[in-house]
């Protein structure tokens, strides 16, 4: 093959003539055929020695389907083989000698949804292997699966009917039995329960939340506090763990904390929501700007959401359809909007004061507005109060 290499990979016509569907011979492993989306390894002689990996990383990006069968020397799959196939949807490895799939094998294959591993030499497969994938179809018949707690998840994942449909079996000292009847002693999916489920408390105060877990073997408990600015300190308790939250920050209002429990059978998590009460703050109050209408922009925070009242030159402002508060949005404890003025004249000039109030406090801010001079001194000045 003259030159070989990657240059030729792009010569689709050449490739088709060579039965390579537009791929370089150098990139596609021996005994396999490769296209831009598919790798097929069915030749027994010489056969592949390891899981197929292409020479060019970019060639692996678009692979959606890998089909491997009749390979005597393929023993294991790990994330090292799989990590560049991040668009992989279908993986078939059948009638080969696979005896191990690492718990992180499909860590980078979020799209993987079809996994056919029939007729291999797998005695166990961990649920962790598929935890980050999008698995909908799993085929495992023809493997010497053990009747162990580690394989219990397969029955739970597939459901009884599908386990029976696939005629999945497992082996223990007593011999071979149907996987659908697998029920090892002390083998139980974890549960996690967190209290309270909503924590309602003032900012600046301390709190303790509790997560209780069950399951066999005893599950490992993990708090996820990644989204928090509040300092959170876990400590173990008899049935789980407590989390001490010191000086709750108003920034964490609306955020969630999860407690997850995992063992060889699987994983469960429980979520707690923070409802942190705090007095209002007017974060921004801007000089008027003209879009379709005039807008005095504001951004306020507070929980419960503050009530807003405007004053113009010291007097309570009465709102009308042509002069009113409009809320445009804001996330969580934020409220964002405009005091909207339609066709304001010089009588609307002067100081505007915004007062934000909830039951924990009050904040206020002022801004000067200058819309137009009185009729006897015409001006095109539209720009607020610089
Ligand atoms: C992968 O697919 C993208 C988008 O369809 C395309 O631009 C790119 O050239 C393909 N890469 C290879 C190596 O075929
Ligand atoms: C994956 O395999 C299934 C079943 O054989 C097939 O229906 C589907 O088209 C395949 N998907 C891709 C992306 O190859
Ligand atoms: C997961 O699979 C479903 C169909 O089973 C599909 O609709 C969805 O887009 C997939 N998600 C990803 C990330 O591929
Ligand atoms: C199958 O795997 C086991 C280890 O799990 C190994 O001892 C055995 O030799 C393998 N069988 C074959 C036929 O390779
Ligand atoms: C509570 O939140 C308000 C508004 O964010 C802040 O001004 C105040 O300092 C906070 N109080 C405590 C005790 O953290």
């Amino acid at each position: 093959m003259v030159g070989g290499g990657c240059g030729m990979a792009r010569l689709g016509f050449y490739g088709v003539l060579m039965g390579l569907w537009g791929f370089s011979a150098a990139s596609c492993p021996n005994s396999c055929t490769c296209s831009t989306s598919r790798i097929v390894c069915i030749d027994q002689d010489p056969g592949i020695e390891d899981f197929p990996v292409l020479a060019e990383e970019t060639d692996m990006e678009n692979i959606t389907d890998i089909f491997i069968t009749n390979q005597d020397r393929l023993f294991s799959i790990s994330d090292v083989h799989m990590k560049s196939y991040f668009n992989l949807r279908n993986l078939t490895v059948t009638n080969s000698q696979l005896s191990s799939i690492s718990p992180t094998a499909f860590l980078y294959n979020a799209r993987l949804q079809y996994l056919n591993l029939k007729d291999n030499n797998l005695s166990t497969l961990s649920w962790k292997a598929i935890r980050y994938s999008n698995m909908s179809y799993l085929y495992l018949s023809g493997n010497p699966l053990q009747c162990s707690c580690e394989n219990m998840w397969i029955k739970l994942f597939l459901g009884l009917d599908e386990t029976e449909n696939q005629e999945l079996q497992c082996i223990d000292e007593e011999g071979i039995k149907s996987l659908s009847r697998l029920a090892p002693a002390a083998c139980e999916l974890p549960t996690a329960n967190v209290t309270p489920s909503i924590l309602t408390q003032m900012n600046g105060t301390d709190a303790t939340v509790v997560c209780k877990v069950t399951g066999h073997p005893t599950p490992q408990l993990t708090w996820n506090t990644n989204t928090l600015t509040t300092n959170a300190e876990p400590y173990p308790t008899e049935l789980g763990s407590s989390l001490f939250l010191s000086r709750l920050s108003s920034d964490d209002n609306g955020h969630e904390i999860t407690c997850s429990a995992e063992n060889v059978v699987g994983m469960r998590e429980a979520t707690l929501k923070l409802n942190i009460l705090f007095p209002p703050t007017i974060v921004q109050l801007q000089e008027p700007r003209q879009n379709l209408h005039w807008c005095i922009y504001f951004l306020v925070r507070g929980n419960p959401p503050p009530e807003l009242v405007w004053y113009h030159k010291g007097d309570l402002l009465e709102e009308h359809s042509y002069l009113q508060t409009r809320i445009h949005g804001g996330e969580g404890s934020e409220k964002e909007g405009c005091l909207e003025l339609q066709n304001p004249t010089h009588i609307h000039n002067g100081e505007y004061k915004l007062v934000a109030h909830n039951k924990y406090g009050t904040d206020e801010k002022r801004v000067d507005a200058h819309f137009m001079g009185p009729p006897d001194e015409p001006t095109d000045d539209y720009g607020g109060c610089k």
Side-chain angles (χ1 to χ4, degrees):
M1 314 214 171
V2 248
C6 315
M8 223 164 69
R10 276 75 192 180
L11 296 177
F13 182 61
Y14 236 111
V16 170
L17 284 184
M18 297 190 301
L20 291 173
W21 313 332
F23 243 70
S24 73
S27 188
C28 191
N30 255 341
S31 297
C32 302
T33 50
C34 305
S35 74
T36 48
S37 65
R38 201 166 143 85
I39 299 175
V40 176
C41 309
I42 53 179
D43 292 347
Q44 275 178 280
D45 195 16
I48 51 174
E49 284 185 45
D50 210 345
F51 194 86
V53 171
L54 306 180
E56 296 290 324
E57 201 138 312
T58 50
D59 286 346
M60 292 191 267
E61 282 170 18
N62 293 355
I63 300 290
T64 57
D65 198 327
I66 298 179
F67 186 95
I68 297 170
T69 193
N70 299 330
Q71 300 299 323
D72 288 343
R73 289 181 292 168
L74 179 56
F75 301 112
S76 65
I77 301 180
S78 77
D79 57 306
V80 177
H81 306 114
M82 300 301 302
K83 68 168 181 250
S84 299
Y85 293 115
F86 45 77
N87 278 310
L88 188 67
R89 295 201 183 100
N90 283 13
L91 176 61
T92 299
V93 181
T94 54
N95 201 29
S96 298
Q97 291 297 330
L98 263 188
S99 58
S100 96
I101 293 187
S102 83
T104 52
F106 308 122
L107 185 59
Y108 306 104
N109 310 105
R111 301 214 160 131
L112 185 60
Q113 60 184 64
Y114 173 97
L115 182 61
N116 182 350
L117 300 170
K118 284 181 194 166
D119 302 317
N120 278 285
N121 187 26
L122 292 167
S123 54
T124 59
L125 178 63
S126 168
W127 66 270
K128 290 179 188 172
I130 65 161
R131 75 188 296 179
Y132 299 112
S133 72
N134 189 20
M135 203 62 67
S136 320
Y137 303 95
L138 175 65
Y139 300 95
L140 282 169
S141 59
N143 282 284
L145 295 174
Q146 285 169 6
C147 298
S148 63
C149 192
E150 201 177 347
N151 286 333
M152 180 74 176
W153 73 272
I154 298 169
K155 165 182 156 177
L156 301 175
F157 176 81
L158 292 175
L160 273 189
D161 288 352
E162 182 62 13
T163 306
E164 277 171 7
N165 278 349
Q166 291 191 25
E167 297 181 351
L168 290 184
Q169 297 180 323
C170 67
I171 306 165
D172 60 15
E173 313 83 62
E174 293 158 17
I176 295 180
K177 63 178 162 198
S178 166
L179 190 79
S180 63
R181 297 219 307 276
L182 176 65
C187 181
E188 211 178 86
L189 193 66
T191 65
N193 186 4
V194 53
T195 43
S197 57
I198 298 176
L199 178 72
T200 300
Q201 233 169 274
M202 239 0 244
N203 74 330
T205 63
D206 298 342
T208 300
V209 297
V210 178
C211 182
K212 288 184 181 158
V213 301
T214 66
H216 288 289
T218 303
Q220 188 188 339
L221 185 155
T222 316
W223 289 101
N224 184 341
T225 55
N226 284 347
T227 64
L228 295 196
T229 45
T230 301
N231 183 50
E233 208 63 57
Y235 58 92
T237 60
E238 201 178 335
L239 296 171
S241 169
S242 288
L243 189 67
F244 181 70
L245 302 162
S246 49
R247 291 197 282 115
L248 290 165
S249 162
S250 57
D251 294 340
D252 290 335
N253 181 43
H255 289 190
E256 290 181 344
I257 298 176
T258 57
C259 167
S260 72
E262 70 180 61
N263 66 13
V264 291
V265 195
M267 192 266 273
R268 284 290 182 271
E269 57 184 30
T271 300
L272 156 106
K273 197 166 179 152
L274 297 176
N275 180 31
I276 299 171
L277 306 166
F278 61 100
T281 313
I282 300 172
V283 184
Q284 284 188 54
L285 181 64
Q286 294 178 355
E287 292 160 7
R289 282 203 204 144
Q290 190 172 23
N291 293 317
L292 185 55
H293 301 300
W294 283 87
C295 162
I296 298 179
Y297 172 87
F298 62 83
L299 174 63
V300 301
R301 300 176 68 233
N303 185 29
E307 282 169 33
L308 305 177
V309 180
W310 294 91
Y311 294 84
H312 178 222
K313 294 199 273 200
D315 294 333
L316 184 66
L317 189 73
E318 272 188 51
E319 300 200 12
H320 310 277
S321 61
Y322 55 87
L323 198 175
Q324 61 180 327
T325 306
R326 283 196 183 273
I327 304 294
H328 296 150
E331 282 184 2
S333 40
E334 287 184 354
K335 235 186 203 181
E336 179 185 48
C338 287
L339 177 65
E340 186 185 276
L341 301 94
Q342 296 180 21
N343 306 316
T345 65
H346 68 280
I347 64 157
H348 298 101
N349 289 348
E351 180 198 83
Y352 285 79
K353 178 171 81 171
L354 173 61
V355 178
H357 174 80
N358 71 14
K359 64 175 162 178
Y360 301 106
T362 302
D363 193 18
E364 58 178 62
K365 269 204 165 63
R366 293 151 208 269
V367 67
D368 279 324
H370 186 78
F371 297 103
M372 221 179 266
D376 55 351
E377 54 175 87
T379 161
D380 61 359
D381 176 15
Y382 59 86
C385 46
K386 295 223 167 75

